[in-house]
């Protein structure tokens, strides 16, 4: 494994905490979404079922890592995410909030919500992914990935992001070492961010960009790997989409 010099440039979550909201209260205002949704509990790795995962000694550290990533939801003036009625195949509809991995998708949903069910002070809010992932695993929320990202990860062009796995992109050759000498692999939510990191590593350390392979995995797989990882194995650093970080920085700067 090649350890390259790399500056990812992730803003401290202490900044995000200034605007982050709680996702434990919801406002139900939206009409049903005629979409087949596969429950998250059926997608988790068999060795990492929800109860086993969240009761494991490693979950607290994993949640802290995930919390470095903001996800976005349409919320009312009090910051409570609005709920949507989701139709399941051969099952009654159920209501859950929708959380988007990319801020631009949340902004598009906000415009739709303002037209269909306008509420005073409606806006998008960021929420820490760790808590939202747990809600998703317990079928209490839906996490919606970016359509461009799922296509880059291999989904067909007509795929609906609703119900798709959240794709991640990584390059083993740009793993870094932490202060204890343990390798840390950045996992990017956008392919372009991973490719830019490869270009940066090449500019610092030399080599050819085509020799650095960017591979894909999904968010539940990454969490499962961390849950079952041994002490000496590579750790992960989750890197949010650049656009999401810029949105929060712009909001904080007024």
């Amino acid at each position: 494994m090649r350890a390259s010099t790399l500056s990812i440039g992730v803003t401290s979550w202490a900044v995000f905490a200034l605007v982050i909201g709680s996702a434990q209260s919801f406002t139900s205002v939206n009409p049903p979404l005629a979409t087949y949704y596969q429950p998250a509990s059926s997608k988790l790795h068999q060795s990492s079922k929800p109860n086993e995962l969240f009761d494991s000694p490693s979950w607290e550290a994993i949640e802290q890592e995930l919390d470095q990533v903001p996800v976005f939801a349409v919320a009312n003036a009090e910051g409570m995410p609005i709920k949507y009625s989701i139709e399941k195949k051969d099952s009654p509809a159920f209501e859950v909030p929708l959380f988007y991995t990319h801020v631009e998708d949340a902004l598009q949903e906000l415009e739709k919500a303002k037209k269909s069910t306008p509420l005073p002070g409606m806006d998008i809010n960021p929420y820490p992914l760790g808590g939202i992932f747990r809600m998703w695993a317990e079928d209490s929320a839906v996490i919606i990935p970016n359509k461009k990202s799922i296509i880059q990860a291999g989904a067909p062009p007509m795929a609906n992001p609703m119900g798709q796995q959240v794709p991640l992109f990584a390059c083993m050759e740009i793993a870094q070492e932490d202060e204890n000498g343990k390798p840390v692999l950045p996992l990017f939510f956008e392919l372009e961010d991973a490719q830019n990191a490869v270009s940066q590593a090449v500019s610092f350390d030399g080599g050819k960009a085509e020799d650095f392979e960017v591979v894909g995995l999904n968010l539940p797989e990454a969490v499962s790997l961390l849950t079952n990882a041994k002490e000496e194995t590579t750790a992960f650093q989750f890197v949010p989409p650049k656009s999401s970080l810029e949105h929060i920085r712009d909001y904080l700067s007024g």
Side-chain angles (χ1 to χ4, degrees):
M1 180 183 298
R2 174 177 177 175
S4 295
T5 305
L6 176 65
S7 174
I8 297 173
V10 178
T11 300
S12 170
W13 186 251
V15 176
F16 297 150
L18 297 175
V19 294
I20 211 74
S22 169
Q24 298 304 316
S25 299
F26 309 99
T27 299
S28 180
V29 296
N30 274 269
L33 297 176
T35 303
Y36 168 57
Y37 174 71
Q38 183 180 3
S41 56
S42 66
K43 299 178 183 178
L44 286 175
H45 192 280
Q46 187 174 3
S47 64
S48 297
K49 295 178 181 178
N51 288 341
E52 296 175 359
L53 170 61
F54 303 124
D55 290 340
S56 70
S58 58
W59 169 245
E60 183 176 355
I62 296 171
E63 184 175 24
Q64 290 176 359
E65 287 295 327
L66 290 172
D67 279 347
Q68 304 304 308
V69 178
V71 290
F72 298 84
V74 177
N76 64 12
E78 287 73 41
M80 295 187 297
I82 60 176
K83 295 172 72 174
Y84 295 75
S85 181
I86 305 296
E87 294 183 359
K88 290 168 53 180
K89 185 178 181 180
D90 302 325
S91 299
F94 63 106
E95 291 190 340
V96 290
L98 307 182
F99 295 91
Y100 294 86
T101 60
H102 286 57
V103 66
E104 56 266 31
D105 297 327
L107 288 169
Q108 291 180 10
E109 181 57 37
L110 174 63
E111 293 306 310
K112 295 178 184 178
K114 285 181 176 179
K115 294 177 181 179
S116 61
T117 52
L119 291 174
M122 182 183 289
D123 204 347
I124 63 168
N125 270 13
Y127 302 87
L129 178 57
I132 304 307
F133 179 85
R134 181 166 187 161
M135 292 172 58
W136 169 83
E138 296 171 346
D139 296 327
S140 298
V142 174
I143 302 176
I144 303 179
N146 178 258
K147 182 166 185 174
K148 179 181 177 181
S149 293
I150 65 172
I151 293 174
Q152 290 172 329
M158 299 304 293
N160 186 341
M162 174 76 74
Q164 298 288 332
Q165 301 281 24
V166 175
L168 300 170
F169 304 94
C171 177
M172 295 299 296
E173 286 78 13
I174 63 172
Q176 306 170 85
E177 290 186 353
D178 63 14
E179 61 274 11
N180 299 316
K182 182 178 181 179
V184 178
L185 180 66
L187 298 181
F188 297 88
F189 281 72
E190 279 198 346
L191 176 59
E192 289 81 1
D193 291 342
Q195 292 170 335
N196 289 338
V198 167
S199 297
Q200 183 181 349
V202 169
S203 67
F204 286 155
D205 298 333
K208 298 180 180 180
E210 54 266 29
D211 295 333
F212 291 67
E213 182 184 9
V214 175
V215 298
L217 70 163
N218 62 56
L219 181 58
E221 286 176 341
V223 171
S224 180
L225 288 171
L226 286 173
T227 303
N228 299 293
K230 297 181 180 179
E231 184 67 26
E232 66 276 8
T233 57
T234 300
F236 294 151
Q237 179 186 7
F238 296 96
V239 183
K242 182 179 178 181
S243 58
S244 297
L245 298 179
E246 291 176 345
H247 175 84
I248 293 178
R249 291 192 188 106
D250 291 345
Y251 178 89
L252 292 175
S253 63

